[in-house]
Amino acid sequence: MNTELFHIQDPKGHEQEIAHVADILRTGGLAVFPTETVYGLGGLATSEHAAKAIYEAKGRPSDNPLIIHVAAPEDAEPYAVTSEIYYRLAAQFMPGPLTVILSKKETIPHAVTGGLDTVAVRCPAHPVARALIEAVGAPVAAPSANRSGRPSPTCAAHAIEDLSGRVAAIIDGGECEVGLESTIIKLEGDKGILLRPGAITADALSCVCEVSIAPAVTAALAENERPLSPGMKYRHYAPHAPLVLLDGAQDAVLRYLQNESADPAVGILCYDEELPLLSGKATLFPIGKKEDLPTQARRLFAALREADTHPALTKLYAHLPPPNGLGLALYNRCIRAAAHTVKKID
């Protein structure tokens, strides 16, 4: 398949190109587009054929639900059973990096929802994404635009690397602002369950409704347990070299990294301030300052992908993020990338 590439960071002046990509989606094709979180692999959300094509392009298990993207919160009405809590969340966080799981209507095929009777709804903030969805005139189902299991793409080059030749079009909208996938909350009455943490934290959500955190956010899902949202069941974000997360006091972890940095087969995802302190033969991938969690979120997936460009590396190390606030989202992505491999450093 020949993949068309479009460079669109602002939809103004690019209406013709957006209309062309929208036509691809309306007629059952696939296209990659930017959002504020990560790049998405889009297909028509009302089409069983498009859903199957998404799973095939990603190499993704078909029981892993897709998120449908709408141009405005109220556009979910024909496709999901909305509620007062949904609209209260929408008023606070949409458009933005929040996905809400609701009971689905018959207009969304089970192929999109991984066989579930619920559907994940998101209204992205990126102007190109919203313009594209508006041009399609229907919701767009879109998981992250990467081959299944690889780190999610935060720039078009990552999506091109994984999906060129597998999709009809890719829109390059520049680097993603957030860098981690959206927060996912499942509504049950007037309460919510946080299934995937993201830029919108549990504390922020609790200002709107009572929120509990699903055990699978920090622990592995049981082998026979069905995933209720994207990213719960399978190993994700994994670099080629095994990743080990280091848990311990900052000084102790730094000493351990200094010892390991003598090995040229080691890669280290380090804090910016650690760069002058790690002067061995290891390859260093700075992800931001220790206290700058938003920068760490933006850089994490890119750092994991950069590590894959160093085939001589046989092991990667990274700090175990704090499991609270935005740190919980980083913690969630890191433990999945590391397949829950955590080393305690005393």
Side-chain angles (χ1 to χ4, degrees), residues 214-229:
V217 166
T218 55
L221 203 66
E223 187 61 34
N224 60 348
E225 190 174 351
R226 197 175 195 183
L228 300 177
S229 77

Side-chain angles (χ1 to χ4, degrees), residues 31-49:
V32 170
F33 62 96
T35 80
E36 72 279 18
T37 56
V38 299
Y39 274 72
L41 167 58
L44 191 65
T46 54
S47 167
E48 181 176 348
H49 166 79

Side-chain angles (χ1 to χ4, degrees), residues 1-341:
M1 180 186 298
N2 181 41
T3 299
E4 297 181 272
L5 178 62
F6 302 93
H7 296 272
I8 309 174
Q9 296 198 24
D10 186 335
K12 293 180 181 178
H14 293 278
E15 290 82 3
Q16 186 173 351
E17 294 100 319
I18 288 175
H20 174 68
V21 178
D23 188 57
I24 290 172
L25 295 174
R26 270 197 305 272
T27 55
L30 304 183
V32 170
F33 62 96
T35 80
E36 72 279 18
T37 56
V38 299
Y39 274 72
L41 167 58
L44 191 65
T46 54
S47 167
E48 181 176 348
H49 166 79
K52 291 179 178 178
I54 288 173
Y55 288 122
E56 182 178 354
K58 280 181 65 75
R60 178 186 178 110
S62 61
D63 66 342
N64 200 357
L66 306 177
I67 294 173
I68 72 167
H69 293 64
V70 295
E74 58 271 21
D75 292 346
E77 288 292 345
Y79 312 102
V81 180
T82 61
S83 65
E84 178 190 355
I85 297 298
Y86 167 76
Y87 279 109
R88 283 168 57 188
L89 288 167
Q92 289 293 319
F93 305 115
M94 296 184 188
L98 177 67
T99 295
V100 182
I101 295 183
L102 305 164
S103 294
K104 84 174 192 68
K105 293 183 177 178
E106 292 301 316
T107 45
I108 297 295
H110 279 100
V112 170
T113 65
L116 299 173
D117 291 326
T118 55
V119 61
V121 176
R122 172 160 129 73
C123 177
H126 198 291
V128 173
R130 296 182 68 198
L132 177 62
I133 298 164
E134 288 174 354
V136 173
V140 174
S144 56
N146 56 291
R147 294 284 288 163
S148 187
R150 293 214 67 204
S152 297
T154 56
C155 66
H158 299 162
I160 292 169
E161 179 185 356
D162 280 10
L163 296 176
S164 182
R166 293 175 172 267
V167 299
I170 294 176
I171 298 177
D172 181 350
E175 292 190 8
C176 298
E177 179 183 358
V178 176
L180 297 179
E181 303 91 343
S182 61
T183 300
I184 298 180
I185 183 173
K186 184 177 188 291
L187 296 185
E188 295 187 348
D190 58 356
K191 299 179 181 179
I193 302 173
L194 181 66
L195 300 182
R196 184 176 74 187
I200 297 173
T201 65
D203 286 343
L205 293 169
S206 67
C207 295
V208 177
C209 64
E210 184 179 335
V211 177
S212 59
I213 299 176
V217 166
T218 55
L221 203 66
E223 187 61 34
N224 60 348
E225 190 174 351
R226 197 175 195 183
L228 300 177
S229 77
M232 289 188 72
K233 183 174 183 180
Y234 299 96
R235 185 179 181 226
H236 281 293
Y237 326 116
H240 296 319
L243 175 64
V244 177
L245 303 176
L246 304 179
D247 180 19
Q250 177 67 19
D251 290 347
V253 171
L254 179 58
R255 285 193 299 271
Y256 184 87
L257 290 175
Q258 287 171 330
N259 289 333
E260 291 294 307
S261 67
D263 187 347
V266 164
I268 300 173
L269 277 65
C270 63
Y271 299 135
D272 290 359
E273 52 265 46
E274 293 174 329
L275 283 171
L277 306 175
L278 298 171
S279 56
K281 297 180 180 179
T283 304
L284 305 182
F285 306 97
I287 60 169
K289 294 184 177 180
K290 181 178 185 296
E291 303 301 328
D292 188 354
L293 297 181
T295 295
Q296 292 177 37
R298 284 194 299 273
R299 291 185 182 177
L300 175 63
F301 289 149
L304 292 174
R305 281 184 171 263
E306 186 181 352
D308 282 348
T309 67
H310 297 262
L313 298 181
T314 60
K315 184 176 291 186
L316 293 175
Y317 290 109
H319 294 271
L320 182 69
N324 49 64
L326 181 57
L328 181 62
L330 284 161
Y331 182 100
N332 172 265
R333 302 321 191 270
C334 284
I335 60 171
R336 278 164 170 69
H340 294 268
T341 305

